[in-house]
Amino acid sequence: MRPFVIVGAGGLGRELLGWIADCGPDTRQRFRVASFISEWKDAGSTCHGIPIRHPDEWNGPTPRFVMGLSDPVEKKRLALSLQARGWEPETFIHDSAAVGLAPKIGAGTVICPRCCISTDCEIGEHVLINSASGVGHDAIVGPYSSLLGAVSINGNVKVGEGVLFGAGSMVYPGKKIGDWAKIGLGSVVLRNVPDRAVMFGNPAQRIDA
């Protein structure tokens, strides 16, 4: 099996390390972290005893990886760069997550503790579904999106590419969220959201216009 690495050694990367340690022995073995990967100044140091390497300094077999980053723009940039090197995106699902029938889950997606992934939903590549979040039946979550904890994507919702959901936000069933939109902390989305809109409040209102 190829070695496994976490891209990013910040808060989310360190959380992922802890969540892997919280899983059973089979999951821990599959996701035994060989290194953190970082392009930033922390490269060359260590994090919880694990080396942090710049991607150019990786000299082992081509690794499997997940993104320990929540910013959708940065996730897409780095994921595409690493995949162009032949690195293989891996899907991590915490042992405590509840997964329904026949979901489609893209490569590189991270599903954290106590999440609920319902029946016949579709989750794109490199999506972050942080702790205690839910994706309802028949919902679609586009690639590179991030749900930052206790987010509720209800049934038949359609989420575009690179959408960022603040913690505690929720979307009413059947609504559409455009590409690269941002939904603020605790916001409740009751109507469709255009591409790149920034929404905040209950009910959520556009605040970037």
Side-chain angles (χ1 to χ4, degrees):
M1 184 182 295
R2 295 184 181 189
F4 173 74
V5 300
I6 295 173
V7 180
L12 179 59
R14 289 179 284 119
E15 285 179 337
L16 278 170
L17 182 66
W19 290 328
I20 291 167
D22 182 54
C23 290
D26 290 345
T27 304
R28 291 200 307 271
Q29 178 60 31
R30 180 181 174 190
F31 293 100
R32 187 171 65 85
V33 179
S35 180
F36 289 98
I37 300 296
S38 176
E39 293 181 332
W40 296 283
K41 62 182 180 181
D42 53 358
S45 61
T46 62
C47 179
H48 292 281
I50 295 173
I52 305 174
R53 296 186 176 98
H54 191 281
D56 291 341
E57 297 173 347
W58 179 261
N59 57 9
T62 305
R64 299 170 295 129
F65 73 97
V66 296
M67 304 301 297
L69 304 169
S70 59
D71 175 50
V73 174
E74 194 68 3
K75 273 201 297 184
K76 183 174 184 178
R77 180 188 71 82
L78 263 173
L80 292 177
S81 173
L82 296 175
Q83 287 170 226
R85 297 170 182 249
W87 294 26
E88 178 186 353
E90 180 65 273
T91 299
F92 171 72
I93 301 176
H94 191 272
D95 287 356
S96 67
V99 179
L101 296 173
K104 297 178 181 177
I105 300 175
T109 283
V110 172
I111 298 174
C112 299
R114 305 184 310 283
C115 290
C116 182
I117 308 302
S118 193
T119 297
D120 296 318
C121 62
E122 183 175 337
I123 298 169
E125 296 181 348
H126 299 291
V127 172
L128 168 65
I129 303 178
N130 214 327
S131 297
S133 294
V135 177
H137 66 84
D138 303 293
I140 297 174
V141 179
Y144 310 107
S145 294
S146 289
L147 285 61
L148 296 185
V151 173
S152 181
I153 304 297
N154 283 285
N156 292 296
V157 168
K158 304 296 186 289
V159 175
E161 179 175 336
V163 178
L164 180 65
F165 291 90
S169 57
M170 60 183 66
V171 184
Y172 191 80
K175 299 306 175 183
K176 296 181 179 179
I177 311 295
D179 296 341
W180 305 101
K182 295 181 180 179
I183 310 300
L185 182 82
S187 296
V188 179
V189 176
L190 300 179
R191 55 189 175 186
N192 295 340
V193 173
D195 292 351
R196 300 187 179 276
V198 179
M199 309 291 291
F200 187 78
N202 181 7
Q205 304 292 326
R206 188 166 184 171
I207 62 172
D208 65 327

